[in-house]
PDB file of all heavy atoms in Angstrom:
ATOM      1  N   ASN A 248     -10.726   8.727   2.005  1.00 95.00           N
ATOM      2  CA  ASN A 248     -11.420   7.557   2.629  1.00 95.00           C
ATOM      3  C   ASN A 248     -12.317   7.897   3.806  1.00 95.00           C
ATOM      4  O   ASN A 248     -13.439   7.510   3.932  1.00 95.00           O
ATOM      5  CB  ASN A 248     -10.412   6.441   2.992  1.00 95.00           C
ATOM      6  CG  ASN A 248      -9.911   5.542   1.927  1.00 95.00           C
ATOM      7  OD1 ASN A 248     -10.448   5.647   0.866  1.00 95.00           O
ATOM      8  ND2 ASN A 248      -9.002   4.703   2.268  1.00 95.00           N
ATOM      9  N   TYR A 252     -16.014   7.002   3.239  1.00 93.00           N
ATOM     10  CA  TYR A 252     -16.518   5.838   3.990  1.00 93.00           C
ATOM     11  C   TYR A 252     -17.084   6.186   5.328  1.00 93.00           C
ATOM     12  O   TYR A 252     -17.854   5.304   5.863  1.00 93.00           O
ATOM     13  CB  TYR A 252     -15.492   4.747   3.970  1.00 93.00           C
ATOM     14  CG  TYR A 252     -14.985   4.218   2.647  1.00 93.00           C
ATOM     15  CD1 TYR A 252     -13.810   4.506   2.312  1.00 93.00           C
ATOM     16  CD2 TYR A 252     -15.924   3.570   1.888  1.00 93.00           C
ATOM     17  CE1 TYR A 252     -13.307   4.015   1.007  1.00 93.00           C
ATOM     18  CE2 TYR A 252     -15.430   3.096   0.598  1.00 93.00           C
ATOM     19  CZ  TYR A 252     -14.126   3.340   0.268  1.00 93.00           C
ATOM     20  OH  TYR A 252     -13.819   2.910  -0.984  1.00 93.00           O
ATOM     21  N   ARG A 294     -12.207  -4.593  -0.445  1.00 73.00           N
ATOM     22  CA  ARG A 294     -13.195  -3.552  -0.161  1.00 73.00           C
ATOM     23  C   ARG A 294     -14.243  -4.204   0.829  1.00 73.00           C
ATOM     24  O   ARG A 294     -14.770  -5.280   0.687  1.00 73.00           O
ATOM     25  CB  ARG A 294     -13.932  -3.208  -1.487  1.00 73.00           C
ATOM     26  CG  ARG A 294     -12.958  -2.919  -2.626  1.00 73.00           C
ATOM     27  CD  ARG A 294     -13.616  -1.880  -3.605  1.00 73.00           C
ATOM     28  NE  ARG A 294     -13.838  -0.623  -2.922  1.00 73.00           N
ATOM     29  CZ  ARG A 294     -15.140  -0.072  -2.867  1.00 73.00           C
ATOM     30  NH1 ARG A 294     -16.020  -0.658  -3.550  1.00 73.00           N
ATOM     31  NH2 ARG A 294     -15.271   1.051  -2.178  1.00 73.00           N
ATOM     32  N   SER A 295     -14.368  -3.550   1.944  1.00 70.00           N
ATOM     33  CA  SER A 295     -15.187  -4.095   2.972  1.00 70.00           C
ATOM     34  C   SER A 295     -16.616  -4.239   2.570  1.00 70.00           C
ATOM     35  O   SER A 295     -17.340  -5.058   3.030  1.00 70.00           O
ATOM     36  CB  SER A 295     -15.093  -3.423   4.262  1.00 70.00           C
ATOM     37  OG  SER A 295     -15.572  -2.075   4.227  1.00 70.00           O
ATOM     38  N   SER A 303     -11.208   1.012  -5.816  1.00 75.00           N
ATOM     39  CA  SER A 303     -10.540  -0.189  -6.367  1.00 75.00           C
ATOM     40  C   SER A 303     -10.045  -1.100  -5.341  1.00 75.00           C
ATOM     41  O   SER A 303      -9.625  -2.264  -5.543  1.00 75.00           O
ATOM     42  CB  SER A 303      -9.244   0.350  -7.204  1.00 75.00           C
ATOM     43  OG  SER A 303      -8.513   1.166  -6.336  1.00 75.00           O
ATOM     44  N   GLY A 304      -9.996  -0.660  -4.026  1.00 81.00           N
ATOM     45  CA  GLY A 304      -9.425  -1.468  -2.986  1.00 81.00           C
ATOM     46  C   GLY A 304      -7.886  -1.486  -2.967  1.00 81.00           C
ATOM     47  O   GLY A 304      -7.261  -2.361  -2.448  1.00 81.00           O
ATOM     48  N   LEU A 307      -5.282   1.661   0.273  1.00 92.00           N
ATOM     49  CA  LEU A 307      -4.548   1.538   1.526  1.00 92.00           C
ATOM     50  C   LEU A 307      -3.364   0.573   1.367  1.00 92.00           C
ATOM     51  O   LEU A 307      -2.405   0.679   1.999  1.00 92.00           O
ATOM     52  CB  LEU A 307      -5.639   0.833   2.578  1.00 92.00           C
ATOM     53  CG  LEU A 307      -6.603   1.857   3.125  1.00 92.00           C
ATOM     54  CD1 LEU A 307      -7.555   1.133   4.044  1.00 92.00           C
ATOM     55  CD2 LEU A 307      -5.963   3.065   3.919  1.00 92.00           C
TER      56      LEU A 307
HETATM   57  P1  LIG B 401     -10.891   1.871  -1.916  1.00 63.91           P
HETATM   58  O1  LIG B 401     -11.187   3.097  -1.324  1.00 63.91           O
HETATM   59  O2  LIG B 401     -10.248   2.224  -3.343  1.00 63.91           O
HETATM   60  O3  LIG B 401     -11.970   0.761  -1.962  1.00 63.91           O
HETATM   61  P2  LIG B 401      -8.885   1.462   0.147  1.00 63.91           P
HETATM   62  O4  LIG B 401      -7.776   0.486   0.056  1.00 63.91           O
HETATM   63  O5  LIG B 401      -8.511   2.866   0.146  1.00 63.91           O
HETATM   64  O6  LIG B 401      -9.638   1.154  -1.297  1.00 63.91           O
HETATM   65  O7  LIG B 401      -9.898   1.018   1.256  1.00 63.91           O
HETATM   66  C1  LIG B 401     -10.189  -0.241   1.473  1.00 63.91           C
HETATM   67  C2  LIG B 401     -11.510  -0.439   2.198  1.00 63.91           C
HETATM   68  O8  LIG B 401     -11.280  -0.072   3.509  1.00 63.91           O
HETATM   69  C3  LIG B 401     -12.644   0.498   1.653  1.00 63.91           C
HETATM   70  O9  LIG B 401     -13.332  -0.183   0.608  1.00 63.91           O
HETATM   71  C4  LIG B 401     -13.488   0.732   2.813  1.00 63.91           C
HETATM   72  O10 LIG B 401     -14.393  -0.351   2.996  1.00 63.91           O
HETATM   73  C5  LIG B 401     -12.512   0.500   4.013  1.00 63.91           C
HETATM   74  N1  LIG B 401     -12.198   1.934   4.669  1.00 63.91           N
HETATM   75  C6  LIG B 401     -11.113   2.512   4.322  1.00 63.91           C
HETATM   76  N2  LIG B 401     -11.108   3.721   5.060  1.00 63.91           N
HETATM   77  C7  LIG B 401     -12.199   3.774   5.847  1.00 63.91           C
HETATM   78  C8  LIG B 401     -12.752   4.656   6.866  1.00 63.91           C
HETATM   79  N3  LIG B 401     -12.058   5.815   7.208  1.00 63.91           N
HETATM   80  N4  LIG B 401     -13.945   4.273   7.501  1.00 63.91           N
HETATM   81  C9  LIG B 401     -14.568   3.205   7.220  1.00 63.91           C
HETATM   82  N5  LIG B 401     -14.048   2.156   6.206  1.00 63.91           N
HETATM   83  C10 LIG B 401     -12.891   2.494   5.593  1.00 63.91           C
END
Side-chain angles (χ1 to χ4, degrees):
N248 275 357
Y252 298 112
R294 311 208 58 237
S295 60
S303 58
L307 288 176

